[in-house]
């Protein structure tokens, strides 16, 4: 596709359930980022993938959060045993990995835990 | 520590008025600085990019400035329109490091008629 695609766009889940969020980056982009944006708040870094290097997981808030990037392309963010405080918009971005290039964002997945 | 701070956190202005948003950073070694606009329910979209040697860059009614010595940037919006209502995020790239993007928390701008 032409841009970063995220799915689903909206997800409502019950507390305690597991959820998977998907990100399709722009083809050829080696860098991929996940961010969380709570209502009225700024972007909170979660995890960063760059090529075949070990991901930077320093932003994951708890061990209930994990992410994978298969084949250097599609990424899934998994939240286990969801809690109400996990409700937020989850944004994915990709770039060519060079500091001079732009990071392109998807439209986000709005997660609501009820 | 690499950080990006933005001010104000939120701003309300009348349609047609000008405003200026601020971004201070401590990212080093500096590569570039981008201002992103994020409309409600959408992902952020890049407005401008500035490198070390650039002082000013315009994109329509948006003008960004950069002072690399004081590590400050501003985004000036002229003759604001209702459609300017959005969050504006300052993002600074470092030249090195695996994770080299550093985000400010954004300024929420509301333009009222």
């Amino acid at each position: 596709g032409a841009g970063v695609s995220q799915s689903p766009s909206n997800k409502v889940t019950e507390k305690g359930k597991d959820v998977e969020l998907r990100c399709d980056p722009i083809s050829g982009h080696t860098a991929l980022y996940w961010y969380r944006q709570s209502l009225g708040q700024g972007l909170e870094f979660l995890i960063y993938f760059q090529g075949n290097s070990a991901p930077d997981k320093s932003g994951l808030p708890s061990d209930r959060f994990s992410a994978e990037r298969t084949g250097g392309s599609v990424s899934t963010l998994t939240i286990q045993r969801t809690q109400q405080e996990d409700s937020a918009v989850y944004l994915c971005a990709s770039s060519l990995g060079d500091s001079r290039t732009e990071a392109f964002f998807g439209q986000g997945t709005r997660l609501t835990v009820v | 520590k690499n950080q990006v701070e933005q001010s104000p956190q939120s701003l309300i202005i009348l349609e047609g008025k000008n405003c200026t948003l601020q971004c201070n950073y401590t990212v080093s070694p500096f590569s570039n600085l981008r201002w992103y606009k994020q409309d409600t329910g959408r992902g952020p979209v890049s407005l401008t990019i500035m490198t070390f040697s650039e002082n000013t860059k315009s994109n329509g009614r948006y003008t960004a400035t950069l002072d690399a010595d004081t590590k400050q940037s501003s985004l000036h919006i002229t003759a604001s329109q209702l459609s300017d209502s959005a969050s504006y995020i300052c993002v600074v790239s470092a030249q090195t490091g695996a994770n080299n993007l550093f985000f400010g928390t954004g300024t929420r701008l509301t333009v009222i008629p």
Side-chain angles (χ1 to χ4, degrees):
Chain A
V4 177
S5 177
Q6 291 187 245
S7 61
S9 54
N10 283 284
K11 176 72 175 179
V12 179
T13 189
E14 292 182 349
K15 178 181 174 181
K17 300 287 188 182
D18 297 351
V19 294
E20 272 192 2
L21 313 180
R22 177 185 170 105
C23 173
D24 280 276
I26 293 173
S27 178
H29 279 193
T30 58
L32 187 147
Y33 308 77
W34 281 99
Y35 292 89
R36 178 168 69 175
Q37 189 173 38
S38 301
L39 185 63
Q41 302 298 311
L43 290 167
E44 175 190 3
F45 167 73
L46 296 177
I47 189 168
Y48 165 75
F49 295 91
Q50 170 60 47
N52 295 321
S53 302
D56 177 354
K57 304 179 180 180
S58 60
L60 295 178
S62 78
D63 59 8
R64 296 187 295 105
F65 288 72
S66 63
E68 290 185 342
R69 189 178 185 191
T70 55
S73 181
V74 172
S75 177
T76 56
L77 176 69
T78 301
I79 308 173
Q80 295 178 311
R81 305 181 303 281
T82 52
Q83 304 295 313
Q84 288 186 330
E85 60 263 28
D86 298 334
S87 296
V89 174
Y90 290 82
L91 287 165
C92 174
S94 72
S95 77
L96 288 171
D98 186 296
S99 65
R100 295 164 294 179
T101 62
E102 179 180 348
F104 293 86
F105 284 83
Q107 81 283 5
T109 293
R110 180 175 296 279
L111 175 66
T112 304
V113 182
V114 297
Chain B
K1 184 177 180 181
N2 292 312
Q3 286 186 314
V4 179
E5 295 183 352
Q6 292 187 242
S7 63
Q9 188 173 27
S10 62
L11 182 63
I12 301 174
I13 62 173
L14 290 174
E15 186 179 11
K17 297 295 186 182
N18 305 335
C19 67
T20 301
L21 314 180
Q22 300 289 346
C23 174
N24 298 334
Y25 62 92
T26 59
V27 177
S28 182
F30 175 83
S31 176
N32 61 72
L33 183 149
R34 290 182 185 271
W35 282 93
Y36 281 80
K37 179 185 180 187
Q38 184 180 22
D39 292 310
T40 301
R42 310 292 293 273
V45 176
S46 179
L47 288 174
T48 66
I49 178 175
M50 301 189 73
T51 58
F52 187 86
S53 59
E54 296 175 304
N55 300 117
T56 303
K57 183 167 284 188
S58 293
N59 178 1
R61 294 179 297 101
Y62 300 102
T63 299
T65 65
L66 175 66
D67 185 332
D69 292 329
T70 61
K71 298 186 177 181
Q72 295 180 326
S73 176
S74 66
L75 180 69
H76 187 74
I77 304 175
T78 304
S80 60
Q81 300 177 359
L82 297 180
S83 60
D84 293 332
S85 295
S87 289
Y88 292 83
I89 304 169
C90 176
V91 182
V92 182
S93 294
Q95 293 182 18
T96 59
N99 180 8
N100 57 12
L101 281 185
F102 299 92
F103 285 72
T105 54
T107 293
R108 176 68 200 177
L109 174 66
T110 303
V111 180
I112 57 176

